[in-house]
Amino acid sequence: MAATAGRCMNPRFMDPESMKCTISSSPSSFSSRQSQVQFSNQRHQFCSMSMNGCQSEPRAPIGTIETRTFPLVLTPALAMDCLNSAISEMKSEPPPFDSGIIRLEVPIQQQIEAIDWLHAQKELLPRCFFSGRNPSQFSDRFIDYTNGNNRSPSVEHRLISVAGVGSAVYFRHSHPFSLDDWRSIKRFLSKKCPLIRAYGAIRFDARAEISSEWRSFGSFYFIVPQVELDELEGSSMLATTVAWDTALSWKYGEAITALQSTLQQVSSMVTRLQKEVPYTYILSNNYIPSKVYWDVAVNRSLTMINRKNSPLIKVVLARSTRVVTSTDIDPLAWLACLQVEGGNSYQFCLQPPDAPAFIGNTVCMIHPEQLFHQKGYDICSEALAGTRARGRSEAMDLQIENDLLSSAKDHQEFTIVRECIRRKLEASNLGYAVCVRVSFEAKKAIRKLPRVQHLYAQLTGRLRSEDDEFKVLCSLHPTPAVCGFPTEEARILIAETEMFDRGMYAGPVGWFGGGESEFAVGIRSALVERGLGALIYAGTGIVEGSNSSLEWEELELKTSQSPRLTKAQVAKLEG
């Protein structure tokens, strides 16, 4: 079978109320301790973990980075046959390189939803799922391939979502994400192989102690999947990736064997997930903090904000809801039913071995909050603040919109977010500004969605260097929308006030590619594990003029986007 190859060488406050509440259900139970849900290490059928790329020399070049595209086939089963045959041939002819990464991909004529394919893989771990949003103004992200005989013209299909199992190479550590860690990831990537990507997430605050439920994620966690289904517009693509590095004691033959082991567990039978959530009743739940302690935390924050000569202008306080349900919550089924809410979504599922699934969905509350999207030298980011419900009539909706536009409190919060992002993109770094220019519409805009509306602005810029990607990531995170302003003062107050570990909640979630990367803010997210329920996260900004009861109501508004868990279905994530 002929292949078309593209090569590229080269001290905390305690809440007495929440501490008194124990949440349990048989056979498993949630801990009553302030910050943790005790997710057990359930026995899963694990895919091979391969090697930790963070242990490599970040500046050492990879021997080969390569993508091989095979002829178009009709079904996933035929694509599996093609890949198995090609991998067997590869095993008999090892390349003359001590390190490398090779992707084999087979276009499939039918469009298969990536989340359906991933659900068919049962409990194969690690696994990941990322569903992008509509293309940005400067990137269409189209995938080109021929029909395999090299005689047909190129066909363009937009990449919609990606699902993967196993890890060709993973990147995880307990220390904060560093420049060397970024370089360790980038050494396995190339512009000439754009679909070799590292998908993952970074903790909101790497300096905070990692609690038990987040331990398997480390301070950051990224994987290049071993087996991957790319859902395209009108078609699909099944791919496998093998990576090796003898300097990391992971030889080519071992990598091929591990890939074959994973492929043996992959199913070609894909059944469409129901877009309806099964009824599942809450056995018990609890807010951390409780309403009483929330009032204390908000009022303490306001005291600090209003203190004379205090630099603190805004702080974002979060809430964790611990839920035990009568039946299992399937994280992928949960995400699948959320897809019907709209097309411009950013969804994710990231699950290492021995860990719950970290899932998120941004479509049902607001336009996906994009931390940044970088392609080449172009970069864009977004500012979102202020939350109002939609009106029941056109006149009521307009009245609510005008109230949002004229609200001094919301204007202040929005301006803080927008100006902070602008300054960070223009910030001097190593003697020069990261971006040559940054622009945005000066007039406030309203972003309307089916159930809520927000103040919104998009910012665009031009990087001086593509290598400034890491600087932009570190500079933009955390945004005032999820932390506060100034950043360090807000982060310290959060660390002293909140009684749970945010983990990856409100942290960067997304992917690195050879010449492109995209990260969203990991809000509207939860930790979910079968048999053990979920931890659901929410947050709201506190500024001068904030009222603790009104802020609690804003959390409830975000929560109310879902059917009531107590009497109906588990359906939506909090914000």
Side-chain angles (χ1 to χ4, degrees):
M1 183 177 292
T4 303
R7 282 178 99 81
C8 153
M9 306 291 209
N10 294 293
R12 295 200 173 205
F13 286 78
M14 305 299 290
D15 178 6
E17 273 194 35
S18 65
M19 288 296 290
K20 288 188 290 185
C21 179
T22 299
I23 301 172
S24 64
S25 68
S26 180
S28 301
S29 65
F30 282 70
S31 169
S32 62
R33 286 184 291 173
Q34 66 186 52
S35 65
Q36 299 177 2
V37 172
Q38 294 298 316
F39 290 112
S40 67
N41 291 335
Q42 294 182 330
R43 291 183 178 272
H44 296 292
Q45 191 176 13
F46 295 142
C47 297
S48 302
M49 274 297 289
S50 73
M51 59 180 170
N52 188 346
C54 287
Q55 297 172 346
S56 64
E57 166 49 52
R59 297 180 183 274
I62 289 292
T64 183
I65 303 177
E66 185 179 338
T67 294
R68 303 174 185 175
T69 303
F70 292 84
L72 180 72
V73 298
L74 298 178
T75 67
L78 291 174
M80 285 284 290
D81 289 343
C82 176
L83 291 172
N84 277 311
S85 175
I87 293 166
S88 295
E89 292 181 9
M90 287 174 61
K91 192 171 186 177
S92 63
E93 297 178 3
F97 303 105
D98 290 333
S99 63
I101 184 166
I102 299 175
R103 171 185 165 99
L104 308 180
E105 56 188 29
V106 182
I108 303 171
Q109 188 169 355
Q110 66 183 104
Q111 182 174 352
I112 301 165
E113 292 194 30
I115 199 167
D116 292 341
W117 178 86
L118 187 58
H119 194 260
Q121 309 317 318
K122 306 301 181 183
E123 297 298 329
L124 287 179
L125 298 179
R127 62 181 177 179
C128 67
F129 170 77
F130 283 83
S131 177
R133 54 194 299 182
N134 288 342
S136 74
Q137 63 184 36
F138 59 78
S139 172
D140 289 335
R141 294 201 297 276
F142 283 101
I143 309 306
D144 299 334
Y145 60 79
T146 70
N147 69 355
N149 59 18
N150 293 324
R151 291 194 298 267
S152 294
S154 176
V155 181
E156 295 183 338
H157 294 258
R158 185 170 64 87
L159 180 62
I160 297 173
S161 57
V162 174
V165 294
S167 62
V169 54
Y170 72 100
F171 308 86
R172 178 178 59 190
H173 211 285
S174 58
H175 65 227
F177 189 62
S178 69
L179 178 60
D180 278 350
D181 295 320
W182 175 77
R183 287 171 173 161
S184 293
I185 294 174
K186 298 294 282 190
R187 71 189 288 258
F188 285 91
L189 309 176
S190 167
K191 287 183 181 180
K192 295 183 179 180
C193 303
L195 289 185
I196 298 179
R197 295 174 173 178
Y199 300 90
I202 301 172
R203 282 176 62 82
F204 168 76
D205 186 354
R207 288 166 286 187
E209 182 180 354
I210 301 176
S211 57
S212 61
E213 67 269 21
W214 289 104
R215 194 163 294 136
S216 294
F217 292 85
S219 182
F220 57 90
Y221 181 76
F222 289 88
I223 63 169
V224 177
Q226 274 183 317
V227 185
E228 177 182 315
L229 191 284
D230 297 335
E231 178 187 348
L232 308 174
E233 199 171 59
S235 65
S236 310
M237 185 180 291
L238 188 67
T240 61
T241 302
V242 58
W244 71 99
D245 190 342
T246 55
L248 296 177
S249 300
W250 188 250
K251 297 180 180 180
Y252 178 80
E254 294 173 304
I256 291 288
T257 299
L259 174 57
Q260 290 178 316
S261 176
T262 299
L263 277 171
Q264 290 176 359
Q265 303 172 70
V266 170
S267 172
S268 297
M269 300 297 295
V270 180
T271 303
R272 183 176 292 273
L273 274 166
Q274 296 297 316
K275 303 298 183 180
E276 298 178 1
V277 189
Y279 282 90
T280 179
Y281 296 88
I282 285 184
L283 301 179
S284 56
N285 69 359
N286 185 44
Y287 293 135
I288 299 180
S290 66
K291 177 59 168 62
V292 171
Y293 184 71
W294 173 263
D295 292 341
V296 173
V298 171
N299 291 332
R300 178 174 181 266
S301 300
L302 289 172
T303 298
M304 296 187 68
I305 290 170
N306 296 327
R307 186 179 297 167
K308 187 177 181 179
N309 298 325
S310 171
L312 189 64
I313 298 174
K314 174 186 177 181
V315 64
V316 178
L317 298 181
R319 183 178 78 181
S320 169
T321 303
R322 303 187 285 182
V323 177
V324 175
T325 56
S326 57
T327 57
D328 286 341
I329 301 173
D330 184 329
L332 296 180
W334 195 352
L335 284 179
C337 75
L338 292 171
Q339 290 181 343
V340 302
E341 291 285 338
N344 199 19
S345 65
Y346 195 106
Q347 291 190 314
F348 59 86
C349 174
L350 187 66
Q351 187 170 16
D354 289 316
F358 178 47
I359 66 171
N361 180 86
T362 60
V363 67
C364 32
M365 272 300 298
I366 63 170
H367 190 69
E369 179 155 1
Q370 185 182 70
L371 186 64
F372 74 91
H373 177 203
Q374 174 260 337
K375 184 175 184 181
Y377 290 90
D378 293 316
I379 188 167
C380 68
S381 184
E382 293 175 346
L384 283 160
T387 303
R388 292 290 191 280
R390 296 296 302 271
R392 295 183 178 180
S393 66
E394 186 175 343
M396 180 72 74
D397 196 60
L398 182 59
Q399 181 180 338
I400 294 172
E401 175 186 333
N402 290 333
D403 177 68
L404 180 56
L405 286 169
S406 61
S407 167
K409 182 260 183 185
D410 290 298
H411 174 77
Q412 179 187 17
E413 185 177 350
F414 171 74
T415 302
I416 289 170
V417 173
R418 186 190 63 192
E419 292 305 304
C420 182
I421 294 173
R422 180 185 62 81
R423 284 194 295 267
K424 286 182 175 181
L425 289 175
E426 292 176 342
S428 177
N429 198 314
L430 298 179
Y432 64 89
V434 173
C435 286
V436 177
R437 64 178 184 273
V438 177
S439 61
F440 62 89
E441 290 291 332
K443 186 178 179 180
K444 263 190 306 192
I446 292 289
R447 175 54 55 86
K448 291 182 180 286
L449 289 121
R451 298 175 179 175
V452 291
Q453 49 191 313
H454 302 269
L455 297 174
Y456 165 83
Q458 184 181 68
L459 300 89
T460 60
R462 180 79 176 172
L463 296 175
R464 288 186 178 273
S465 167
E466 292 183 54
D467 291 339
D468 285 337
E469 172 188 64
F470 174 77
K471 301 171 188 174
V472 169
L473 174 61
C474 294
S475 178
L476 288 180
H477 173 74
T479 70
V482 295
C483 181
F485 184 81
T487 301
E488 187 58 20
E489 285 80 358
R491 187 200 66 80
I492 291 173
L493 182 56
I494 290 170
E496 293 175 347
T497 304
E498 290 185 355
M499 300 170 297
F500 62 93
D501 178 17
R502 289 191 180 190
M504 269 67 179
Y505 161 69
V509 180
W511 51 270
F512 291 110
E516 184 178 6
S517 60
E518 183 172 20
F519 282 83
V521 182
I523 52 177
R524 327 246 192 274
S525 55
L527 279 178
V528 182
E529 186 164 7
R530 288 187 176 182
L532 295 169
L535 268 171
I536 309 174
Y537 301 94
T540 185
I542 310 302
V543 298
E544 183 180 0
S546 292
N547 177 281
S548 62
S549 293
L550 293 178
E551 298 301 335
W552 185 267
E553 288 177 10
E554 182 170 326
L555 293 179
E556 292 298 298
L557 172 61
K558 294 174 180 178
T559 308
S560 71
Q561 304 307 301
S562 64
R564 302 298 188 270
L565 291 172
T566 308
K567 296 182 179 180
Q569 307 161 316
V570 174
K572 305 217 173 27
L573 302 179
E574 295 185 353

